[in-house]
Amino acid sequence: MARPLIVAMAFVAAACESTADTRVTEDTSFLSDIEEVEHIVVTVGDDDYSVPVYGYRGAMTESEEPDWGGTIIIRILTPQSYSRARWFSNNRNVEIRYDRFAASAAELDRNYDRLSLGQSIPIIHLPGPGVFGAGGRYDEFYSNRAAEVLDGAISLIVSEFEGDHIIVSGASSAGLIVAGLLSMRDDIRCAVIASAPLDLTAHAQFNPAHTHYYGSTEPFDPIRHVHSVLEDRDRTIFIGYSETDQVVSSRYQIDYAEALLELGHSVVLESAPGIDQYGHSLAPWVWQKTLDCVDRE
């Protein structure tokens, strides 16, 4: 198989741009070796975005196996943000850290290579704008632009890998991007969304510390775009929530799932235990449902 179109190497500036009332900083020591990670350049409007493709080599190795069935897992990476504003509402400092993932971009890349090789299926990890070494601004992660950028990246990946079945998953804020992709792509055969703020207006009331979502010039609010989710009788959408979630209300997942069901989409809504101190992370559930998606193919 020919070498990919993933050739652009980029280094992101030391701090993500932010809105006037929300200060966003990023620990850029993680990005010191970002040039070792494969990148895709995506053009949206007049802007070019460099998107790191974590786990590319391992995924490519698996796609070259003779028994590969054409299924590609795309996992959207969630920015690790720890905002002191959660406890002090008058302080909107948002610090983006990666210590829960890896010490460096190259180490994370190698970790995700091993994940593909261990599961014997291509698994690609993509960040939205402004995080994990991706071009763009942090506030764009919560906008229509994020889904547009990753839509372009996924199209290039699908073309390069020659895959025909896509599974997409995203938790927390990355779930916004998955919801946006469901309105753009007709080749997603299965999607997994967990603990996502799928109603931004309600979320601003539930967790006022997270109003930095509205730093986006065009915030994407999934519940208001539910009618634009493309119809596909063969696609399943898994939506998970935690009843003890202190970060994102379970109500958003339930309301969004019910709205999709009313429109005739195939949706599986499930409650799962949160594994972190906030009851927010559903990582084991997300992974299990992603594997369930593979079994459905």
Side-chain angles (χ1 to χ4, degrees):
M1 187 173 291
R3 283 289 298 166
L5 299 174
I6 309 172
V7 295
M9 301 299 174
F11 187 87
V12 177
C16 300
E17 296 180 31
S18 62
T19 57
D21 61 350
T22 303
R23 295 178 296 279
V24 182
T25 58
E26 183 176 11
D27 178 4
T28 56
S29 60
F30 175 86
L31 303 176
S32 60
D33 49 6
I34 188 66
E35 69 277 359
E36 297 182 28
V37 181
E38 299 281 355
H39 284 67
I40 286 175
V41 172
V42 178
T43 301
V44 178
D46 296 327
D47 301 317
D48 290 334
Y49 292 81
S50 182
V51 182
V53 184
Y54 289 100
Y56 169 80
R57 295 173 183 84
M60 180 58 75
T61 297
E62 289 305 320
S63 73
E64 293 173 340
E65 292 295 322
D67 58 348
W68 176 52
T71 297
I72 304 173
I73 296 175
I74 306 289
R75 303 178 76 188
I76 310 302
L77 291 174
T78 303
Q80 289 296 288
S81 304
Y82 301 88
S83 173
R84 286 176 288 169
R86 292 178 184 172
W87 298 278
F88 303 101
S89 60
N90 63 341
N91 186 342
R92 292 187 177 180
N93 289 325
V94 178
E95 179 186 6
I96 303 176
R97 296 166 46 188
Y98 303 99
D99 53 294
R100 290 188 178 183
F101 289 87
S104 70
E107 179 183 343
L108 181 66
D109 193 33
R110 290 191 295 270
N111 289 345
Y112 285 145
D113 281 341
R114 289 192 287 269
L115 183 59
S116 283
L117 298 173
Q119 294 295 324
S120 300
I121 190 171
I123 307 173
I124 291 291
H125 297 73
L126 298 176
V131 297
F132 288 97
R137 305 185 312 274
Y138 174 68
D139 59 280
E140 290 180 304
F141 196 97
Y142 307 100
S143 71
N144 292 302
R145 181 58 64 97
E148 292 172 347
V149 170
L150 292 192
D151 176 42
I154 291 172
S155 291
L156 289 173
I157 290 169
V158 170
S159 176
E160 176 59 31
F161 280 69
E162 299 180 356
D164 53 9
H165 291 83
I166 303 174
I167 298 168
V168 182
S169 70
S172 193
S173 55
L176 294 175
I177 297 179
V178 176
L181 290 169
L182 288 171
S183 298
M184 297 178 180
R185 303 192 65 89
D186 61 3
D187 56 356
I188 297 175
R189 293 295 170 259
C190 196
V192 181
I193 300 174
S195 303
L198 299 173
D199 184 336
L200 290 186
T201 300
H203 184 59
Q205 298 174 351
F206 177 80
N207 194 340
H210 279 190
T211 52
H212 59 273
Y213 290 150
Y214 289 98
S216 168
T217 55
E218 297 179 358
F220 177 73
D221 198 350
I223 196 67
R224 285 163 178 73
H225 293 272
V226 68
H227 288 85
S228 68
V229 175
L230 299 178
E231 295 183 9
D232 185 344
R233 295 181 180 274
D234 297 324
R235 180 194 58 216
T236 300
I237 303 172
F238 289 96
I239 299 178
Y241 66 92
S242 167
E243 295 176 353
T244 62
D245 197 336
Q246 301 174 46
V247 179
V248 174
S249 172
S250 60
R251 189 73 246 169
Y252 317 148
Q253 279 70 239
I254 296 171
D255 289 347
Y256 186 73
E258 289 179 347
L260 287 175
L261 285 168
E262 289 180 4
L263 292 169
H265 296 282
S266 176
V267 178
V268 176
L269 175 67
E270 294 185 359
S271 172
I275 64 169
D276 63 345
Q277 61 181 320
Y278 305 110
H280 182 58
S281 174
L282 303 185
W285 181 89
V286 172
W287 181 239
Q288 183 57 57
K289 295 307 156 184
T290 301
L291 296 181
D292 288 349
C293 285
V294 175
D295 292 339
R296 287 168 178 257
E297 294 302 324

